[in-house]
Amino acid sequence: TLQATVDAANKREEALTQERDNLKEEIDLLRKKLFGTSSEKRILDIPGQLNFFNEAELEQDPEAAKAEDLEAFLPEKTAKKRKARATDAERFKGVPVEKKYLELSEEEKLCPVCGTPLKEIGEEFVRRELVFVPAKLKVYEYYSKSYECPQCRLQDIPVIKKGKDGRAHMLYGMASAGTVAWVMYQKFCNGLPYYRQEKDWKQYGVEITRATMANWVIRNSEAFFLPMYEYFHRKLLERGFAMADETPLQVLHEPERRAQTKSYMWLFRSGEDGGIPIILYKYSETRAGDNTVDFLHGFKGYLMCDGYSGYNKVPDAKRTACWAHIRRYLTDAIPKGKALDYTQPSVQGMLYINQLFHLEDVIRSKYSSFDAIKKAAIKKARLEKEKPVVEGFLSWLDQQNPIRGSRMDKAVTYIQNRRSYLSTYLEDGRCSFSNNLSENAVRPFTVGRKNWLFRDTPDGAQASAVVYTMVEMAKANGVNVYHYLTYLLEKLPDDRMSDDELEFLAPWDETVKAEIERRANESNQSYVNCQGAPA
């Protein structure tokens, strides 16, 4: 009986000790997330220790390696060259330049020796200044002039004509297209909430309430941006490679739901296949996988996303795993102060993944375009260089037996649950290796969420998804965001337009790009000529 009591006490002490160690790990992880660096970059080689992956290359004949072009895939031995500092000409490209001359006074233009007037012989550069000219508001009041025929009036046949501008004011509210676009640009590009914009408008002498601005955005985006949004959606479903991510959103007044309940903003975008970038946001009340099924109905191809099981419901999509998420879990499993200890299983796993990321960077930099030849070359290089590393990683994974409840146990469980997707990216050279591209695309929304905190109504959340889509589409295709929003609000696309007509309003259209660039240049020039920006 005494021995049984001692054994039970030892077992209980062992369990409590393990629970204490697990809690200490959690505390270390939380401290790291709260106070540590957020960068996911890792050193490929640990100073003073051999690398797991270059022993064979060190033993082989250097000439043979050169002949087989293997050195391009080996870890870089020298530090990367620092990016050259941008010149003033590069930083201020597109900004109009106005020359200011430092003149002499009339007395100083006389020679101090003989009094003869001095003759101008040239000019010399002194300094360069970047000048900001604040915006100015104007109110345009349109009046229609009326004309009548005096001769017909004498015969009691009045003929009257009124001046027209050829188009009706279709926008909701009295604001111009540029004013509505500016409110959208400030909110969805700069993350400036309506209540801050309300204060900003007062500085210019205009009182515009946040409710008015919200109404402008909701009603105009629903009427004129939604057709473009649906067109972009159709274009995305035609692609063979897509990426997805989701992030929480709080909407206060959803029907039959508490204000504290989580809603979600989804991000769907085209993959890294070299085609036109397409980025779409979607609002939903829940995180259910059916939302993805409905949105991606008709999509057939490879889908890159995180480990959320809801994406498994998409019937015709082939899942690919995000290696950045795998790396994230292993990074969290590294004990405090043990990042350079090869005996730690989490560090060993990180070495495999670091090697994969390095090889992927080298291959992608070598084959930047995506024609048929480059696609086949990327696939071949991945199979030759990355597939053995993936197989080695999976073999290492099978040998792990971490302590139950530890961070390493959570990492191994996460990876094992996604094991079948880890090698999918090797099937096609256009498949993405990680989901970083979609996480970067959803970041503007998460940054804005820190400022405005929540949405008031589902209509506002849906409008946010549509406007964010237009903003990020403009960014992805390299056009000025504000001028593109203004352009769409002037063209007023509607659901009666065909896809061919909507194509001419897309940000990748060369005519649209040229028009946006022209407007941007004219806007910059107007700052110099008028010493102010038109409203």
Side-chain angles (χ1 to χ4, degrees):
T1 302
L2 180 59
Q3 185 61 43
T5 303
V6 172
D7 292 341
N10 289 338
K11 186 177 293 186
R12 184 167 58 253
E13 181 185 3
E14 182 180 351
L16 291 174
T17 301
Q18 186 57 53
E19 183 180 2
R20 181 204 64 188
D21 293 341
N22 291 344
L23 291 175
K24 288 176 65 178
E25 282 188 346
E26 291 296 327
I27 292 173
D28 290 340
L29 176 61
L30 294 175
R31 283 178 176 171
K32 178 182 176 183
K33 290 185 177 299
L34 185 60
F35 301 110
T37 177
S38 60
S39 174
E40 294 185 356
K41 291 184 178 180
R42 292 293 178 268
I43 299 174
L44 189 64
D45 289 333
I46 297 177
Q49 299 197 40
L50 293 177
N51 188 284
F52 275 8
F53 302 97
N54 62 358
E55 293 182 11
E57 286 82 353
L58 292 174
E59 297 295 333
Q60 70 180 359
D61 183 11
E63 294 299 326
K66 184 176 181 180
E68 295 176 6
D69 195 25
L70 291 177
E71 72 276 6
F73 297 96
L74 298 181
E76 297 178 2
K77 297 298 189 297
T78 58
K80 291 185 178 180
K81 185 179 179 182
R82 291 186 61 181
K83 184 179 179 180
R85 183 177 178 180
T87 63
D88 287 343
E90 295 172 340
R91 290 189 295 149
F92 302 145
K93 183 179 179 181
V95 179
V97 177
E98 181 181 4
K99 287 187 175 181
K100 296 286 187 180
Y101 291 99
L102 306 178
E103 281 283 4
L104 297 175
S105 63
E106 294 299 328
E107 294 79 6
E108 292 175 330
K109 288 184 180 180
L110 300 177
C111 177
V113 179
C114 62
T116 305
L118 300 179
K119 180 181 179 182
E120 182 179 345
I121 59 175
E123 61 186 44
E124 179 183 1
F125 176 78
V126 178
R127 68 177 183 274
R128 181 180 285 109
E129 292 180 353
L130 180 63
V131 180
F132 173 73
V133 182
K136 294 182 180 180
L137 293 178
K138 292 182 180 179
V139 175
Y140 288 163
E141 295 183 347
Y142 292 87
Y143 294 87
S144 174
K145 286 193 173 183
S146 303
Y147 296 86
E148 71 169 354
C149 175
Q151 294 295 330
C152 294
R153 182 180 178 82
L154 298 177
Q155 302 175 14
D156 295 331
I157 307 176
V159 176
I160 300 175
K161 287 187 176 183
K162 294 184 178 182
K164 299 179 180 180
D165 60 0
R167 60 184 180 88
H169 182 78
M170 300 295 293
L171 295 179
Y172 292 95
M174 64 164 286
S176 67
T179 304
V180 177
W182 182 253
V183 172
M184 293 178 174
Y185 175 76
Q186 290 286 71
K187 173 71 178 289
F188 301 99
C189 192
N190 294 338
L192 198 64
Y194 292 139
Y195 77 90
R196 294 184 190 171
Q197 292 194 52
E198 184 178 4
K199 296 178 181 179
D200 197 37
W201 285 111
K202 287 184 179 180
Q203 298 295 320
Y204 297 114
V206 179
E207 292 192 9
I208 301 177
T209 65
R210 64 195 76 176
T212 299
M213 288 183 279
N215 193 43
W216 288 351
V217 172
I218 293 174
R219 300 190 67 179
N220 287 300
S221 63
E222 181 181 359
F224 308 118
F225 284 178
L226 197 56
M228 292 299 302
Y229 178 91
E230 293 173 347
Y231 172 66
F232 295 150
H233 186 196
R234 292 191 291 272
K235 297 289 287 184
L236 178 66
L237 297 179
E238 296 173 359
R239 304 288 280 271
F241 301 85
M243 309 175 79
D245 199 7
E246 77 286 338
T247 187
L249 167 69
Q250 185 179 6
V251 182
L252 299 183
H253 298 100
E254 289 176 319
E256 300 179 0
R257 302 187 82 202
R258 297 172 63 244
Q260 295 80 5
T261 306
K262 280 187 179 180
S263 302
Y264 283 86
M265 185 68 76
W266 301 75
L267 185 283
F268 299 91
R269 63 160 299 148
S270 54
E272 299 176 279
D273 56 357
I276 297 170
I278 298 177
I279 300 175
L280 294 167
Y281 287 82
K282 179 187 184 307
Y283 154 72
S284 68
E285 292 184 350
T286 67
R287 200 190 182 195
D290 293 337
N291 294 302
T292 309
V293 174
D294 295 339
F295 194 82
L296 293 180
H297 178 71
F299 172 78
K300 297 180 179 180
Y302 291 91
L303 177 63
M304 165 59 72
C305 49
D306 57 22
Y308 175 48
S309 59
Y311 295 109
N312 295 334
K313 295 185 177 181
V314 183
D316 297 321
K318 193 165 187 179
R319 286 280 303 272
T320 57
C322 173
W323 281 90
H325 280 77
I326 304 296
R327 178 175 63 179
R328 208 167 292 162
Y329 270 80
L330 285 174
T331 301
D332 292 342
I334 298 176
K336 183 178 180 181
K338 301 291 185 180
L340 304 181
D341 186 358
Y342 271 4
T343 63
Q344 295 293 329
S346 51
V347 176
Q348 296 170 6
M350 284 292 297
L351 291 173
Y352 285 100
I353 296 180
N354 287 346
Q355 183 71 4
L356 286 175
F357 270 92
H358 172 69
L359 293 174
E360 188 68 18
D361 288 342
V362 174
I363 293 173
R364 285 285 184 173
S365 62
K366 188 174 183 180
Y367 305 106
S368 56
S369 60
F370 278 96
D371 54 27
I373 298 177
K374 296 293 180 63
K375 179 188 73 171
I378 292 175
K379 180 180 178 180
K380 180 180 177 181
R382 281 175 168 176
L383 292 175
E384 289 179 358
K385 304 300 174 183
E386 297 185 20
K387 185 178 180 180
V389 182
V390 174
E391 292 173 346
F393 176 77
L394 296 177
S395 177
W396 165 85
L397 184 66
D398 292 334
Q399 300 172 18
Q400 303 308 308
N401 188 23
I403 298 174
R404 185 176 181 85
S406 65
R407 283 186 288 167
M408 188 62 187
D409 179 52
K410 295 179 181 178
V412 170
T413 302
Y414 178 88
I415 301 171
Q416 288 285 17
N417 290 340
R418 288 142 190 88
R419 185 187 184 111
S420 59
Y421 310 134
L422 294 179
S423 302
T424 308
Y425 81 100
L426 299 172
E427 297 178 4
D428 195 297
R430 294 168 293 178
C431 281
S432 300
F433 179 69
S434 73
N435 202 34
N436 286 342
L437 206 61
S438 61
E439 289 190 347
N440 290 334
V442 81
R443 184 172 288 117
F445 173 82
T446 59
V447 172
R449 184 180 59 198
K450 292 182 179 180
N451 291 307
W452 40 258
L453 301 178
F454 53 82
R455 286 283 178 237
D456 190 54
T457 63
D459 289 340
Q462 177 61 27
S464 297
V466 174
V467 181
Y468 266 117
T469 296
M470 300 301 123
V471 168
E472 295 305 314
M473 284 292 294
K475 291 181 184 177
N477 289 275
V479 299
N480 183 283
V481 176
Y482 166 70
H483 288 292
Y484 182 65
L485 296 178
T486 306
Y487 180 80
L488 289 180
L489 291 173
E490 290 176 352
K491 297 300 181 181
L492 304 177
D494 56 54
D495 52 10
R496 294 172 295 179
M497 290 184 172
S498 64
D499 284 359
D500 292 336
E501 293 175 306
L502 295 173
E503 174 75 15
F504 290 114
L505 300 178
W508 58 75
D509 183 78
E510 294 300 326
T511 304
V512 173
K513 284 188 172 183
E515 172 64 15
I516 299 303
E517 184 177 3
R518 182 191 66 80
R519 293 186 179 202
N521 292 334
E522 287 185 355
S523 177
N524 289 336
Q525 191 61 43
S526 68
Y527 278 108
V528 175
N529 296 338
C530 304
Q531 293 298 302

